[in-house]
Amino acid sequence: MISHSAKIVQQRIGALAKITEEPGRITRTFASPAMRRANELVGAWMRAAGLEVRVDAAFNLLGRWNSTQRGAKTFLLGSHLDTVRDAGKYDGPLGVLTAISAVELLRERGVKLPFNVEVVGFSDEEGVRYQTTYLGSRALAGTLTAADLARIEEKQIVTARRNKNEFFGYAEVHIEQGPVLEKKKIPVGVVTAIAGQSRLRVEFLGVAGHAGTVPMTLRHDALAGAAEFILAVEKCGVLATVGKIEVANGASNVIPGNVSLTLDVRDQNDSRRLAAVKALQIKAQNIAQRRGLRLNWTLVQQTSAVPCDKTLTQIFSQCVAQRGLEVLKLPSGAGHDAVALSAICPVAMLFVRCKGGISHNPAESVKTSDVRVAVEVLADFILRLAKHP
Ligand code: GLV
Ligand code: MN
Ligand code: MN
């Protein structure tokens, strides 16, 4: 039965991977037509599992299993259905599809729960469209800021806000996106905390000019300044990435006058991350000053490190131990919707081994036998939660 569920999860992940806004590769960004189609397809699987399905104003897909107990609170399960550009097929969908299968297994067994379960496919964990992450889960949690709303076109997403008193927890299954589980030969791991992150936009403004006439010593080349900054980022001592760079009006024969780049800084320790961001800002100012450039330094989004809830994490650990598996606890360097949900309820996460620790890459791969463990553990988790005082 469970091995059948794992095969279905794999088949569904394959079918979902075909829904994309860029033919030939997987790309599903916030509120795109591809996301609407993904919500339709996954919504049909939720319906087949007996869930009541709707899409909220933030494009989150929600499938609800109502408890027979009146006034019962709700436990959320899920992950995200948006992707990076040219993504792998597991980052996000694995958590949504294992949740649907775990719920389906329990319903088939005639289980009655003292709480409602909502399975969620969140609409924006990656933040590709606006550089800010968690638009869907923050809309649900009611934590969008005025700055978010100023940036985005889809203002109506604020109305997706739910009453936090409805919920008593959130659990998310996700690929590890790192090599630890593979190295230790363990299919799943229990997450202790999720690293904080800072996302910034950095602009170097120089003077555009003729590539053939302005002497090298008289240039104010914004791209050369940005290049020097990127090498400083590489040496800053925490996890830091320039993932996107744009040269305005770039051409072979034009000295770059305007360059903007994204900066993403992560650490488990918030003060170390903030100190690294400050040091990089000073570095950028020095580079700009020395090269006669202007600098625009904009903080786009910042989230603190989030500890996973002790009780929910312990329940996950018990479910893993019950399968005779070593309980490996590990932190997450990647961000997850659990960060946004932690504003309104306790959160926990289960990581699943992925090949080579590779993610944000079409080569993402997860074994069906590991998917099976994840579905089993998640179904056990819900049952244990129901017995928990
Ligand atoms: C999400 O994948 C992130 O950026 O951590
Ligand atoms: Mn993810
Ligand atoms: Mn991701």
Side-chain angles (χ1 to χ4, degrees):
M1 201 62 159
I2 289 197
S3 55
H4 178 67
S5 295
K7 278 189 207 131
I8 299 251
V9 168
Q10 291 283 41
Q11 279 165 12
R12 288 175 172 176
I13 280 177
L16 188 53
K18 297 203 167 67
I19 299 186
T20 174
E21 59 202 71
E22 294 183 306
R25 56 190 205 159
I26 308 170
T27 303
R28 281 191 307 273
T29 56
F30 174 70
S32 61
M35 170 152 294
R36 283 170 216 259
R37 283 187 282 130
N39 281 348
E40 274 169 30
L41 182 66
V42 180
W45 295 330
M46 285 178 165
R47 258 180 226 108
L51 304 179
E52 266 175 32
V53 180
R54 70 186 178 95
V55 176
D56 72 11
F59 306 92
N60 298 313
L61 174 68
L62 299 146
R64 189 170 166 97
W65 176 12
N66 280 309
S67 170
T68 44
Q69 290 190 16
R70 284 163 68 91
K73 286 210 172 200
T74 299
F75 196 84
L76 289 163
L77 298 174
S79 191
H80 58 100
L81 293 175
D82 70 310
T83 71
V84 291
R85 295 199 181 285
D86 198 14
K89 55 188 176 180
Y90 291 92
D91 176 356
L94 181 68
V96 183
L97 298 176
T98 50
I100 295 173
S101 285
V103 160
E104 190 160 30
L105 273 175
L106 296 178
R107 288 177 58 89
E108 279 168 9
R109 286 189 210 153
V111 168
K112 302 267 181 274
L113 294 175
F115 47 81
N116 314 305
V117 173
E118 266 184 61
V119 179
V120 196
F122 286 113
S123 58
D124 176 63
E125 185 258 2
E126 304 289 5
V128 169
R129 173 105 177 266
Y130 293 109
Q131 203 191 346
T132 49
T133 55
Y134 318 133
L135 284 178
S137 41
R138 287 190 295 133
L140 186 145
T143 56
L144 291 170
T145 61
D148 293 316
L149 292 173
R151 191 176 299 115
I152 67 175
E153 286 169 30
E154 299 80 3
K155 312 282 184 219
Q156 83 286 353
I157 76 169
V158 278
T159 64
R161 179 180 194 153
R162 300 277 291 271
N163 180 344
K164 69 175 185 190
N165 297 327
E166 280 183 64
F167 304 112
F168 71 103
Y170 170 72
E172 176 166 357
V173 171
H174 202 283
I175 53 168
E176 181 199 343
Q177 307 181 266
V180 177
L181 291 169
E182 188 174 72
K183 204 158 194 163
K184 301 241 178 196
K185 300 192 167 51
I186 307 178
V188 293
V190 182
V191 179
T192 51
I194 304 166
Q197 54 175 282
S198 302
R199 293 190 179 199
L200 299 105
R201 193 169 47 252
V202 183
E203 246 185 327
F204 287 96
L205 303 171
V207 181
H210 197 292
T213 61
V214 184
M216 296 308 284
T217 50
L218 298 181
R219 295 183 177 198
H220 302 287
D221 182 330
L223 185 55
E228 191 180 339
F229 176 69
I230 293 169
L231 294 177
V233 169
E234 199 183 19
K235 292 201 200 89
C236 78
V238 300
L239 296 162
T241 306
V242 173
K244 189 172 172 187
I245 180 162
E246 278 169 323
V247 181
N249 308 320
S252 174
N253 58 347
V254 180
I255 300 162
N258 178 337
V259 170
S260 81
L261 54 90
T262 61
L263 173 62
D264 178 310
V265 185
R266 317 267 180 127
D267 204 273
Q268 300 292 334
N269 178 315
D270 288 331
S271 37
R272 200 162 48 206
R273 170 176 49 84
L274 293 172
V277 171
K278 189 75 216 159
L280 283 171
Q281 183 179 10
I282 292 168
K283 187 82 196 172
Q285 283 163 344
N286 290 343
I287 291 168
Q289 198 174 25
R290 185 169 20 85
R291 290 176 171 272
L293 307 171
R294 273 186 300 127
L295 175 73
N296 287 330
W297 185 267
T298 313
L299 181 64
V300 176
Q301 187 183 26
Q302 180 153 264
T303 54
S304 301
V306 165
C308 289
D309 178 68
K310 286 212 164 50
T311 307
L312 295 179
T313 300
Q314 196 189 356
I315 298 177
F316 260 139
S317 300
Q318 288 164 343
C319 299
V320 172
Q322 185 184 321
R323 313 238 75 83
L325 297 166
E326 181 186 334
V327 178
L328 183 89
K329 296 198 173 157
L330 72 175
S332 172
H336 298 287
D337 290 294
V339 170
L341 271 298
S342 71
I344 57 164
C345 62
V347 301
M349 289 193 72
L350 184 77
F351 273 174
V352 182
R353 168 170 58 185
C354 57
K355 192 171 174 198
I358 291 170
S359 76
H360 286 185
N361 183 319
E364 270 173 23
S365 173
V366 177
K367 285 197 254 177
T368 305
S369 52
D370 291 357
V371 174
R372 178 194 159 132
V373 175
V375 174
E376 266 175 345
V377 167
L378 191 60
D380 285 353
F381 174 89
I382 299 164
L383 288 176
R384 273 187 189 257
L385 194 61
K387 290 194 199 117
H388 205 267

mmCIF file of all heavy atoms in Angstrom, residues 25 56 65 79 117 139 143 147 166 170 172 187 189-190 208 220 222 244 246 328 360 372:
data_model
loop_
_atom_site.group_PDB
_atom_site.id
_atom_site.type_symbol
_atom_site.label_atom_id
_atom_site.label_comp_id
_atom_site.label_asym_id
_atom_site.label_seq_id
_atom_site.Cartn_x
_atom_site.Cartn_y
_atom_site.Cartn_z
ATOM 1 N N ARG A 25 12.142 23.210 -19.799
ATOM 2 C CA ARG A 25 12.706 23.240 -18.454
ATOM 3 C C ARG A 25 11.616 23.633 -17.464
ATOM 4 O O ARG A 25 10.598 24.188 -17.862
ATOM 5 C CB ARG A 25 13.910 24.172 -18.373
ATOM 6 C CG ARG A 25 13.618 25.590 -18.820
ATOM 7 C CD ARG A 25 14.918 26.348 -18.944
ATOM 8 N NE ARG A 25 14.710 27.781 -18.785
ATOM 9 C CZ ARG A 25 15.659 28.626 -18.443
ATOM 10 N NH1 ARG A 25 16.879 28.196 -18.204
ATOM 11 N NH2 ARG A 25 15.420 29.897 -18.330
ATOM 12 N N ASP A 56 -6.672 30.145 -2.694
ATOM 13 C CA ASP A 56 -6.974 31.403 -2.003
ATOM 14 C C ASP A 56 -6.493 32.602 -2.820
ATOM 15 O O ASP A 56 -5.937 32.436 -3.917
ATOM 16 C CB ASP A 56 -6.433 31.381 -0.559
ATOM 17 C CG ASP A 56 -4.913 31.476 -0.496
ATOM 18 O OD1 ASP A 56 -4.269 31.775 -1.525
ATOM 19 O OD2 ASP A 56 -4.353 31.264 0.603
ATOM 20 N N TRP A 65 -9.302 18.477 5.037
ATOM 21 C CA TRP A 65 -9.936 17.271 5.582
ATOM 22 C C TRP A 65 -10.549 17.687 6.914
ATOM 23 O O TRP A 65 -9.833 17.957 7.874
ATOM 24 C CB TRP A 65 -8.868 16.185 5.787
ATOM 25 C CG TRP A 65 -9.339 14.925 6.430
ATOM 26 C CD1 TRP A 65 -10.626 14.524 6.663
ATOM 27 C CD2 TRP A 65 -8.495 13.878 6.928
ATOM 28 N NE1 TRP A 65 -10.636 13.299 7.261
ATOM 29 C CE2 TRP A 65 -9.341 12.868 7.439
ATOM 30 C CE3 TRP A 65 -7.113 13.685 6.986
ATOM 31 C CZ2 TRP A 65 -8.849 11.701 8.014
ATOM 32 C CZ3 TRP A 65 -6.616 12.528 7.551
ATOM 33 C CH2 TRP A 65 -7.481 11.539 8.059
ATOM 34 N N SER A 79 4.055 22.335 1.432
ATOM 35 C CA SER A 79 5.295 22.933 0.954
ATOM 36 C C SER A 79 4.873 23.819 -0.222
ATOM 37 O O SER A 79 3.714 24.229 -0.258
ATOM 38 C CB SER A 79 6.289 21.843 0.542
ATOM 39 O OG SER A 79 7.572 22.395 0.323
ATOM 40 N N VAL A 117 -7.212 18.735 8.958
ATOM 41 C CA VAL A 117 -5.903 18.822 8.300
ATOM 42 C C VAL A 117 -6.085 19.633 7.027
ATOM 43 O O VAL A 117 -7.038 19.416 6.286
ATOM 44 C CB VAL A 117 -5.368 17.415 7.938
ATOM 45 C CG1 VAL A 117 -4.085 17.530 7.105
ATOM 46 C CG2 VAL A 117 -5.096 16.597 9.200
ATOM 47 N N ALA A 139 1.132 35.684 3.209
ATOM 48 C CA ALA A 139 -0.239 36.193 3.033
ATOM 49 C C ALA A 139 -1.168 35.422 3.964
ATOM 50 O O ALA A 139 -1.992 36.008 4.667
ATOM 51 C CB ALA A 139 -0.672 36.050 1.580
ATOM 52 N N THR A 143 1.381 38.349 7.504
ATOM 53 C CA THR A 143 2.588 39.100 7.872
ATOM 54 C C THR A 143 3.208 39.853 6.684
ATOM 55 O O THR A 143 4.369 40.238 6.743
ATOM 56 C CB THR A 143 3.645 38.160 8.491
ATOM 57 O OG1 THR A 143 3.903 37.100 7.560
ATOM 58 C CG2 THR A 143 3.188 37.578 9.803
ATOM 59 N N ALA A 147 5.848 47.349 2.475
ATOM 60 C CA ALA A 147 6.878 47.324 1.421
ATOM 61 C C ALA A 147 6.616 46.189 0.431
ATOM 62 O O ALA A 147 6.808 46.344 -0.782
ATOM 63 C CB ALA A 147 8.261 47.159 2.059
ATOM 64 N N GLU A 166 -6.932 29.543 14.303
ATOM 65 C CA GLU A 166 -7.406 28.309 13.651
ATOM 66 C C GLU A 166 -6.363 27.195 13.733
ATOM 67 O O GLU A 166 -6.696 26.031 13.661
ATOM 68 C CB GLU A 166 -7.594 28.557 12.147
ATOM 69 C CG GLU A 166 -8.836 29.244 11.702
ATOM 70 C CD GLU A 166 -8.846 29.313 10.172
ATOM 71 O OE1 GLU A 166 -8.889 28.264 9.509
ATOM 72 O OE2 GLU A 166 -8.770 30.440 9.634
ATOM 73 N N TYR A 170 2.293 23.318 11.901
ATOM 74 C CA TYR A 170 2.581 23.124 10.471
ATOM 75 C C TYR A 170 3.763 22.171 10.364
ATOM 76 O O TYR A 170 4.759 22.314 11.089
ATOM 77 C CB TYR A 170 2.945 24.470 9.839
ATOM 78 C CG TYR A 170 3.500 24.379 8.423
ATOM 79 C CD1 TYR A 170 2.674 24.066 7.336
ATOM 80 C CD2 TYR A 170 4.852 24.609 8.157
ATOM 81 C CE1 TYR A 170 3.172 23.997 6.039
ATOM 82 C CE2 TYR A 170 5.365 24.545 6.860
ATOM 83 C CZ TYR A 170 4.514 24.243 5.803
ATOM 84 O OH TYR A 170 5.015 24.177 4.524
ATOM 85 N N GLU A 172 6.322 20.218 7.386
ATOM 86 C CA GLU A 172 6.722 20.261 5.976
ATOM 87 C C GLU A 172 7.779 19.200 5.692
ATOM 88 O O GLU A 172 8.788 19.107 6.393
ATOM 89 C CB GLU A 172 7.275 21.667 5.672
ATOM 90 C CG GLU A 172 7.815 21.822 4.257
ATOM 91 C CD GLU A 172 8.045 23.280 3.824
ATOM 92 O OE1 GLU A 172 7.732 24.200 4.601
ATOM 93 O OE2 GLU A 172 8.553 23.470 2.706
ATOM 94 N N PRO A 187 17.708 7.794 5.030
ATOM 95 C CA PRO A 187 16.724 8.343 4.081
ATOM 96 C C PRO A 187 16.089 9.666 4.492
ATOM 97 O O PRO A 187 15.770 10.482 3.636
ATOM 98 C CB PRO A 187 15.651 7.248 3.991
ATOM 99 C CG PRO A 187 15.847 6.373 5.173
ATOM 100 C CD PRO A 187 17.281 6.482 5.580
ATOM 101 N N GLY A 189 15.761 12.964 7.681
ATOM 102 C CA GLY A 189 16.359 13.628 8.843
ATOM 103 C C GLY A 189 15.368 14.623 9.418
ATOM 104 O O GLY A 189 14.465 15.100 8.723
ATOM 105 N N VAL A 190 15.528 14.921 10.697
ATOM 106 C CA VAL A 190 14.601 15.816 11.390
ATOM 107 C C VAL A 190 15.284 17.181 11.545
ATOM 108 O O VAL A 190 16.413 17.275 12.032
ATOM 109 C CB VAL A 190 14.225 15.226 12.766
ATOM 110 C CG1 VAL A 190 13.224 16.132 13.467
ATOM 111 C CG2 VAL A 190 13.647 13.823 12.601
ATOM 112 N N ALA A 208 28.445 55.788 -18.211
ATOM 113 C CA ALA A 208 28.502 55.041 -19.470
ATOM 114 C C ALA A 208 29.391 55.823 -20.440
ATOM 115 O O ALA A 208 29.432 57.058 -20.387
ATOM 116 C CB ALA A 208 27.101 54.879 -20.032
ATOM 117 N N HIS A 220 34.677 55.247 -15.105
ATOM 118 C CA HIS A 220 33.898 54.923 -13.905
ATOM 119 C C HIS A 220 33.007 53.748 -14.293
ATOM 120 O O HIS A 220 31.822 53.921 -14.576
ATOM 121 C CB HIS A 220 33.091 56.143 -13.443
ATOM 122 C CG HIS A 220 33.963 57.320 -13.146
ATOM 123 N ND1 HIS A 220 34.754 57.378 -12.020
ATOM 124 C CD2 HIS A 220 34.226 58.454 -13.850
ATOM 125 C CE1 HIS A 220 35.444 58.509 -12.028
ATOM 126 N NE2 HIS A 220 35.147 59.173 -13.143
ATOM 127 N N ALA A 222 30.894 50.704 -13.904
ATOM 128 C CA ALA A 222 30.052 50.120 -12.848
ATOM 129 C C ALA A 222 30.216 48.606 -12.771
ATOM 130 O O ALA A 222 30.142 48.022 -11.683
ATOM 131 C CB ALA A 222 28.583 50.474 -13.126
ATOM 132 N N LYS A 244 22.237 37.035 -9.444
ATOM 133 C CA LYS A 244 21.692 37.677 -10.646
ATOM 134 C C LYS A 244 22.378 39.024 -10.810
ATOM 135 O O LYS A 244 22.564 39.748 -9.824
ATOM 136 C CB LYS A 244 20.191 37.881 -10.447
ATOM 137 C CG LYS A 244 19.454 38.334 -11.658
ATOM 138 C CD LYS A 244 17.959 38.295 -11.382
ATOM 139 C CE LYS A 244 17.211 38.929 -12.537
ATOM 140 N NZ LYS A 244 15.789 39.057 -12.238
ATOM 141 N N GLU A 246 22.592 42.468 -13.620
ATOM 142 C CA GLU A 246 22.069 43.078 -14.846
ATOM 143 C C GLU A 246 22.878 44.317 -15.181
ATOM 144 O O GLU A 246 23.093 45.182 -14.326
ATOM 145 C CB GLU A 246 20.605 43.484 -14.645
ATOM 146 C CG GLU A 246 19.663 42.325 -14.835
ATOM 147 C CD GLU A 246 18.241 42.623 -14.386
ATOM 148 O OE1 GLU A 246 18.062 43.342 -13.370
ATOM 149 O OE2 GLU A 246 17.322 42.134 -15.049
ATOM 150 N N LEU A 328 18.546 11.407 12.739
ATOM 151 C CA LEU A 328 19.576 12.415 12.513
ATOM 152 C C LEU A 328 18.920 13.792 12.536
ATOM 153 O O LEU A 328 17.974 14.041 11.798
ATOM 154 C CB LEU A 328 20.258 12.189 11.164
ATOM 155 C CG LEU A 328 21.386 13.182 10.949
ATOM 156 C CD1 LEU A 328 22.688 12.641 11.499
ATOM 157 C CD2 LEU A 328 21.550 13.524 9.492
ATOM 158 N N HIS A 360 17.964 23.090 -6.828
ATOM 159 C CA HIS A 360 17.946 24.280 -7.695
ATOM 160 C C HIS A 360 18.698 23.934 -8.973
ATOM 161 O O HIS A 360 19.506 24.712 -9.483
ATOM 162 C CB HIS A 360 18.553 25.503 -6.989
ATOM 163 C CG HIS A 360 17.640 26.067 -5.938
ATOM 164 N ND1 HIS A 360 17.899 27.210 -5.242
ATOM 165 C CD2 HIS A 360 16.435 25.628 -5.482
ATOM 166 C CE1 HIS A 360 16.906 27.462 -4.400
ATOM 167 N NE2 HIS A 360 16.011 26.500 -4.528
ATOM 168 N N ARG A 372 8.939 6.659 0.029
ATOM 169 C CA ARG A 372 8.107 5.749 0.826
ATOM 170 C C ARG A 372 8.304 6.014 2.326
ATOM 171 O O ARG A 372 7.335 6.092 3.087
ATOM 172 C CB ARG A 372 8.486 4.307 0.465
ATOM 173 C CG ARG A 372 7.743 3.297 1.249
ATOM 174 C CD ARG A 372 8.372 1.928 1.117
ATOM 175 N NE ARG A 372 7.933 1.167 2.258
ATOM 176 C CZ ARG A 372 7.446 -0.056 2.208
ATOM 177 N NH1 ARG A 372 7.397 -0.698 1.075
ATOM 178 N NH2 ARG A 372 7.038 -0.661 3.297
#
